[in-house]
């Protein structure tokens, strides 16, 4: 099996980022012809063209996009290895955080707050699906994944699951819709359209079970897979939202939204998922401790 030349891979990454051979060659202090020769050697070793050459520009092929993703992961891991094993305590350290795209932004900021504004820390924050984020964690492209969905875990699982917080869930609405006096929960649920998380979420499963226990038929105004969008929709008075109060904390403080009712026996868990690494990111330990409420 051919051994991948990391020098050629680094040159390829520079060309992919610049988009032109001449621009990348200038940055690398190489002649365009020498750079082109080394790129061709890399393409030959991989067995695929990495660029479509269109005029003076270069566009990544499908194989090129795959190669660039792997190149970025390889060099991130190399940088992490150097920083971790040297552990000189100087310079800037990076913390790479993945967050479920639907997760409360207020919770994410609260988790990261101890590191915000520190000159010696760079925070790299990526959002995505649970599967994408766990792949990033497995490849060491991420140090931690913030989620409200616990990944499957058994004796062979590589994941460590840290419960950071658990927030009660409420019916939230505008003052005009929710009113200022106490109202029976059943009446609220059947009298107003509801803005709900999508069916695949744990929060929705718990809500559906609550409604079934009470024998209610409810009217759904929207099913939304993003907490930020639920927040906007309830502010626009599209209905009562089933969400943790932390999602709309600022609006509740300002009085633009109110809690119509607390949904008993429902809670949203906020989790941090890490790997059991021999050399964990030292920035992570304090966050996992201070992140627990």
């Amino acid at each position: 099996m051919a051994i991948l030349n990391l020098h050629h891979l680094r040159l390829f990454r520079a060309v992919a980022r610049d988009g032109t051979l001449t621009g990348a060659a200038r940055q690398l202090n190489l002649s365009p012809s020498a750079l082109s020769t080394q790129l061709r050697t890399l393409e030959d070793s991989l067995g695929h063209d990495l660029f479509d050459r269109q005029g003076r520009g270069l566009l990544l092929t499908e194989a090129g996009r795959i190669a660039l993703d792997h190149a970025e992961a390889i060099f991130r891991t190399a940088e992490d290895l150097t920083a971790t094993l040297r552990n000189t305590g100087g310079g800037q350290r990076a913390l790479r955080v993945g967050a479920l795209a639907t997760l409360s932004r207020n919770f994410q900021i609260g988790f990261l707050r101890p590191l915000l504004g520190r000159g010696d820390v760079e925070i790299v924050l990526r959002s995505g699906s649970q599967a994408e984020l766990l792949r990033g964690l497995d490849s060491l492209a991420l140090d931690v994944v913030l989620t409200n969905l616990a990944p499957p875990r058994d004796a062979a699982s590589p994941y460590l699951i840290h419960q950071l917080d658990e927030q009660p869930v409420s019916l939230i609405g505008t003052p005009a819709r929710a009113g200022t006096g106490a109202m029976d929960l059943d009446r609220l649920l059947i009298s107003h359209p509801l803005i709900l998380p999508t069916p695949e979420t744990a929060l929705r499963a718990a809500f559906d079970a609550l409604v079934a226990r009470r024998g209610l038929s409810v009217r759904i105004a929207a099913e939304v897979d993003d907490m930020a969008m639920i927040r906007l929709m309830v502010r626009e008075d599209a209905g009562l939202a089933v969400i943790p109060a932390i999602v709309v904390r600022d609006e509740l403080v300002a009085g633009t939204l109110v809690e119509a009712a607390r949904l008993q026996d429902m809670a949203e868990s906020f989790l941090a998922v890490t790997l059991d690494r021999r050399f964990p990111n030292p920035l992570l330990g304090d966050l996992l401790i201070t992140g627990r409420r």
Side-chain angles (χ1 to χ4, degrees), residues 167-249:
Q167 289 284 331
V169 178
S170 300
L171 278 179
I172 304 290
T174 61
R177 179 177 294 280
T180 55
M183 186 181 294
D184 177 73
L185 177 59
D186 287 3
R187 185 178 172 191
L188 281 169
L189 290 172
I190 64 177
S191 299
H192 297 277
L194 302 177
I195 306 165
L196 301 177
T198 48
E200 66 272 12
T201 63
L203 196 59
R204 176 62 180 277
F207 177 76
D208 288 346
L210 180 148
V211 169
R213 287 196 304 270
R214 291 174 173 266
L216 301 177
S217 177
V218 299
R219 179 160 54 100
I220 299 175
E223 294 180 333
V224 186
D225 68 356
D226 181 78
M227 285 292 176
M229 181 55 69
I230 292 179
R231 177 183 185 181
L232 292 176
M233 293 188 75
V234 70
R235 283 167 51 178
E236 293 294 321
D237 199 24
L240 294 178
V242 175
I243 49 174
I246 190 175
V247 176
V248 290
R249 179 183 56 204

Side-chain angles (χ1 to χ4, degrees), residues 47-127:
H48 295 278
D49 289 337
L50 302 178
F51 293 102
D52 282 328
R53 292 158 173 82
Q54 299 185 359
R56 295 184 178 180
L58 297 173
L59 296 178
L60 286 169
T61 62
E62 181 179 358
R65 288 193 297 271
I66 293 171
L68 181 60
D69 286 344
H70 283 278
E72 297 287 8
I74 287 169
F75 292 119
R76 277 197 305 267
T77 302
E79 291 162 4
D80 183 60
L81 171 65
T82 301
T84 300
L85 295 186
R86 286 181 178 171
N87 196 20
T88 60
Q92 189 178 56
R93 293 195 63 89
L95 180 70
R96 300 179 179 90
V97 180
L100 195 65
T102 58
L103 198 65
S104 164
R105 272 51 170 179
N106 283 339
F107 168 72
Q108 294 179 47
I109 286 294
F111 178 77
L112 296 172
R113 186 168 286 119
L115 298 181
L116 297 179
R118 280 182 49 173
D120 62 332
V121 175
E122 177 191 1
I123 297 171
V124 180
L125 185 60
R126 298 283 184 264
S127 63

